[in-house]
């Protein structure tokens, strides 16, 4: 997927239908949370194509789920735009995190690797403080980590999964953001990863989709609360994006070859196609955009 000799970037005039191939991913399985390293086909996280123009110069960002998929594409883009980045991820994802940290450093920025489990409130608190200490401050927070496990019938959804999905996808957003408020100054920005699932839930993702609706609500309420303090809160709602989340039981296996083909663009999105939305919401150019959800979903109607 990643064309290492690519000379185009996100500003090149191109047809969005064919900018990336319409993949028919082979059926595959990875233990949760899955690695970009082992994904087939590989994804495009902007390694060779994302071109920065100084939009986040001197900024300090903490990104959760930054080792792979959308979070990795955002981390690479932020670094190319001039930000130092702290990366949160699970310890088993070290190989992916090492690669993203390498790309950040190659862009001339600082990368701080902070592995740990976000279902643990105490870890969430220490993560924020460690990031702020090692970066020398904090002015961008991207709450992006997520757990998605497809279950066909509600009767088969275990209490354990329910608990882990809610802790990862929404409790951690509360824990991390609350701690981050000790560091964020006026001008700072918070961007939450929600999903089209917040308003068009799949029948197999009841727990996951519920947390995404909660994130939308949290985003709007918190945006109102923090706007007078000069801290903006917004969300990005991706549609079907090819990432390790989908092959570690995020989708029923027989659906993988068709993943993303039901969008008006006719293909799944690549992680790098999300990055400009996060850059826009993180940077000062979106100073009057507050409590907004930016849909990046290949054309699916959204409220
Ligand atoms: P991904 O697997 O690359 O990223 C998810 C990350 O969440 C993992 O890399 C992992 O580091 C992190 N994570 C999960 N559980 C954790 C835990 N207990 N502790 C610490 N970190 C944990 O997949 P992605 O698709 O890039 O997902 C990023 C975000 O985008 C998620 O919030 C997901 O819900 C959202 N999203 C994805 C899609 C899609 O189609 N891929 C669509 C809509 C929304
Ligand atoms: Mg990962």
């Amino acid at each position: 997927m990643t064309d290492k000799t690519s000379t185009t970037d996100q500003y090149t005039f191109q047809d969005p239908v064919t900018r990336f191939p319409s993949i028919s991913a082979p059926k595959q399985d990875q233990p949760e949370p899955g690695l970009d390293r082992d994904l087939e086909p590989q994804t495009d996280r902007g390694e060779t194509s994302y071109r920065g123009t100084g939009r986040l110069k001197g900024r300090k960002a903490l990104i959760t789920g930054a080792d792979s998929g959308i979070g990795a594409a955002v981390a690479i883009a932020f670094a190319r735009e001039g930000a130092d980045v702290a990366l949160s991820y699970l310890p088993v994802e070290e190989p992916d995190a090492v690669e993203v940290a390498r790309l950040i450093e190659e862009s001339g920025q600082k990368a701080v690797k902070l592995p740990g489990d976000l279902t643990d409130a105490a870890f969430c608190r220490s993560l924020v403080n460690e990031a702020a200490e090692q970066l020398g401050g904090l002015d961008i927070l991207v709450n992006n980590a997520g757990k998605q496990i497809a279950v066909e019938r509600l009767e088969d959804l275990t209490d354990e999964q329910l608990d882990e999905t809610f802790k990862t996808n929404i409790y951690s957003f509360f824990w991390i953001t609350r701690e981050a408020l000790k560091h964020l100054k006026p001008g700072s920005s918070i961007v939450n990863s929600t999903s089209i699932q917040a308003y068009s839930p799949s029948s197999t993702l009841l727990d996951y989709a519920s947390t995404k609706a909660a994130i939308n609500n949290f985003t709007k309420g918190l945006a109102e609360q923090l706007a007078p303090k000069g801290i903006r809160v917004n969300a990005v709602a991706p549609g079907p994006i090819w990432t390790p989340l989908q092959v570690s039981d995020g989708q029923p296996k027989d659906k993988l070859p068709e993943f993303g083909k039901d969008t008006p663009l006719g293909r799944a999105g690549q992680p790098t196609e999300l990055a400009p939305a996060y850059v826009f919401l993180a940077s000062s150019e979106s100073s009057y955009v507050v409590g907004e959800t930016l849909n990046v979903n290949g054309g699916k109607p959204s409220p």
Side-chain angles (χ1 to χ4, degrees), residues 16-17 20 196 236-241 260-270 273-274 294-302:
V17 174
F20 293 103
I196 190 169
V236 176
I241 312 302
K261 292 205 195 309
D262 63 341
T263 59
L265 285 182
R267 62 171 178 85
Q270 289 294 326
E273 296 185 278
L274 275 293
L294 227 166
N295 291 279
V296 185
N297 66 20
K300 291 207 162 200
S302 50

Side-chain angles (χ1 to χ4, degrees), residues 67-68 70 93 117-118 144 146 194 208 212 238-239 241 243 246:
D67 58 298
S68 59
I70 296 165
E93 298 175 302
D117 188 345
L118 298 181
N144 167 72
T194 177
Y208 174 85
K212 293 299 171 180
I241 312 302
T243 71
Q246 308 301 348

Side-chain angles (χ1 to χ4, degrees), residues 61-82:
L62 168 61
I63 305 172
T64 66
D67 58 298
S68 59
I70 296 165
V74 172
I76 292 165
F78 279 14
R80 302 263 165 95
E81 298 289 358

Side-chain angles (χ1 to χ4, degrees), residues 137-213:
L138 190 67
D139 44 44
I140 300 172
L141 169 62
V142 178
N143 287 305
N144 167 72
K147 177 187 172 81
Q148 175 184 326
I149 303 288
V151 176
E152 300 281 344
R153 301 171 348 126
L154 179 58
E155 298 92 307
D156 299 328
L157 178 63
T158 63
D159 284 351
E160 191 190 11
Q161 177 175 327
L162 190 59
D163 197 47
E164 281 183 10
T165 304
F166 273 75
K167 282 198 172 130
T168 308
N169 296 11
I170 181 71
Y171 277 42
S172 80
F173 285 36
F174 277 84
W175 291 329
I176 290 170
T177 307
R178 191 172 59 195
E179 197 66 18
L181 291 178
K182 295 176 182 163
H183 304 280
L184 300 177
K185 297 187 175 54
S188 297
S189 176
I190 299 171
V191 187
N192 297 324
S193 291
T194 177
S195 170
I196 190 169
Q197 290 286 328
Y199 15 82
S200 298
S202 296
S203 65
T204 52
L205 294 175
L206 298 182
D207 54 336
Y208 174 85
S210 303
T211 63
K212 293 299 171 180

